[in-house]
Amino acid sequence: MAIWIDGKAQARALRETVADEVRRLGAHQGPVPGLAAVLVGDDPASQVYVRRKGEHAREVGMRSFEHCLPASTPQGELLSLIATLNRDPSVHGILVQLPLPAHIDPEAIIDAIDPAKDVDGFHPLNVGALAAGGEGLAPCTPLGCIRLLQSHLGELTGKHAVVLGRSRIVGRPLASLLLREDCTVTVAHSKTSNPAKVCRQGDILVAAVGQPGLVQGDWVKAGATVIDVGITRLGDGDSRRLVGDVDAACVSRVAGALTPVPGGVGPMTIACLLHNTLIAACRQHGLPDPHDRAPSERLHLTHPHE
Ligand code: GUN
């Protein structure tokens, strides 16, 4: 039977690392990282996500700014708010919760966010930087997948990774991140012929298509590490449940390790958002990225204006 990869525990550990770094910045007169979350409309799931992002930001010692606007908010008003947040030095990260109401063009909104504050990694400059193998801010769910894979496998170099799904939020950026880790990467999608055969080649298989139970046991190489990104809400009331893209009952008999839904990738996304906010704050203040800093350097961190 496969090992379950515990995303909740990994996310808690990452939040503790972020909280340590936030404390260290504070102890050396550095910035207090600030995260602004913007919600337009009253979609209940989005309200829960935005509230949770704010709670977790405060828990790790960051400032949280929540802007909840009515569904009727004109696009121009949202653009003005983004311009204000772009100028605000206490805001280091901006995220606009998607989806937006139909009268608002998400591209125009994403393009308006200062790329240095784009902690979702959706701005074209960050997308381009990631695709080119450079430094930018990468999207949080793919970052969470990489961390979960590394927690189980260590080095990813030379592994054949199959990504099922080519979305802008998960599949495409994840393929770039896996390449950065020196994996051999295959992307399978809705037009791939014989996707089961393609998926079966992966030492790593990441399913991110939003089709409940699509991945069956015969889609998985024996001993593979399987990451289930898909989250679909099924049922109503008491029978409501979240299901992934992977049929866990049969895949767990073939895979070496598997992430559960819920409790796998989901918790990692918010933890990676906090980490991106920390990185953004450090960069905006001319400080080195937190994960690149050697322990000895941490002791000599000073405010950029000193
Ligand atoms: N809606 C669903 N996933 C995401 C995400 O990662 N970021 C934002 N901003 N909205 C989302």
Side-chain angles (χ1 to χ4, degrees), residues 38 46 49 53 95-99 120 122 139-141 169 269:
V38 181
S46 292
Y49 285 132
K53 285 167 188 175
L95 85 88
V96 178
Q97 187 67 29
L98 302 175
D120 259 330
F122 294 165
C140 305
T141 299
I169 293 186
T269 298

Side-chain angles (χ1 to χ4, degrees), residues 11-58:
R12 198 178 310 121
L14 179 55
R15 288 200 303 273
E16 278 166 16
T17 303
V18 171
D20 274 354
E21 288 289 329
V22 171
R23 269 193 293 275
R24 224 181 296 273
L25 282 173
H28 294 81
Q29 289 77 49
V32 179
L35 172 64
V38 181
L39 173 65
V40 187
D42 42 22
D43 175 63
S46 292
Q47 284 173 334
V48 171
Y49 285 132
V50 167
R51 198 180 326 126
R52 199 170 295 156
K53 285 167 188 175
E55 284 164 6
H56 282 198
R58 285 187 290 276

Side-chain angles (χ1 to χ4, degrees), residues 289-303:
D289 280 1
H291 55 270
D292 292 342
R293 199 178 299 137
S296 59
E297 279 180 82
R298 289 175 171 167
L299 301 174
H300 305 295
L301 181 65
T302 52
H303 193 271

Side-chain angles (χ1 to χ4, degrees), residues 198-287:
V198 175
C199 288
R200 215 161 36 236
Q201 292 168 359
D203 307 309
I204 292 167
L205 174 60
V206 184
V209 288
Q211 288 189 44
L214 176 72
V215 175
Q216 296 291 312
D218 63 348
W219 289 46
V220 175
K221 183 183 196 171
T225 304
V226 180
I227 306 288
D228 190 354
V229 181
I231 295 184
T232 307
R233 251 166 243 278
L234 289 184
D236 282 321
D238 288 348
S239 66
R240 246 177 116 155
R241 61 199 175 101
L242 294 178
V243 287
D245 290 345
V246 174
D247 185 337
C250 55
V251 167
S252 62
R253 290 195 203 100
V254 183
L258 171 61
T259 58
V261 174
V265 176
M268 288 303 286
T269 298
I270 297 184
C272 289
L273 175 73
L274 301 176
H275 195 251
N276 268 356
T277 305
L278 174 66
I279 291 173
C282 288
R283 289 181 185 169
Q284 283 161 48
H285 284 256
L287 299 168

Side-chain angles (χ1 to χ4, degrees), residues 24-131:
R24 224 181 296 273
L25 282 173
H28 294 81
Q29 289 77 49
V32 179
L35 172 64
V38 181
L39 173 65
V40 187
D42 42 22
D43 175 63
S46 292
Q47 284 173 334
V48 171
Y49 285 132
V50 167
R51 198 180 326 126
R52 199 170 295 156
K53 285 167 188 175
E55 284 164 6
H56 282 198
R58 285 187 290 276
E59 263 172 44
V60 299
M62 294 183 176
R63 287 199 187 110
S64 167
F65 308 91
E66 284 160 50
H67 297 267
C68 298
L69 309 177
S72 58
T73 302
Q75 178 162 314
E77 208 172 293
L78 181 54
L79 288 170
S80 304
L81 172 60
I82 290 170
T84 304
L85 296 173
N86 282 344
R87 282 192 303 270
D88 185 342
S90 60
V91 172
H92 304 94
I94 301 171
L95 85 88
V96 178
Q97 187 67 29
L98 302 175
L100 287 163
H103 68 278
I104 298 178
D105 173 13
E107 304 294 334
I109 301 305
I110 290 166
D111 288 1
I113 297 172
D114 178 347
K117 297 189 176 186
D118 168 39
V119 283
D120 259 330
F122 294 165
H123 189 283
L125 268 185
N126 283 319
V127 174
L130 179 59

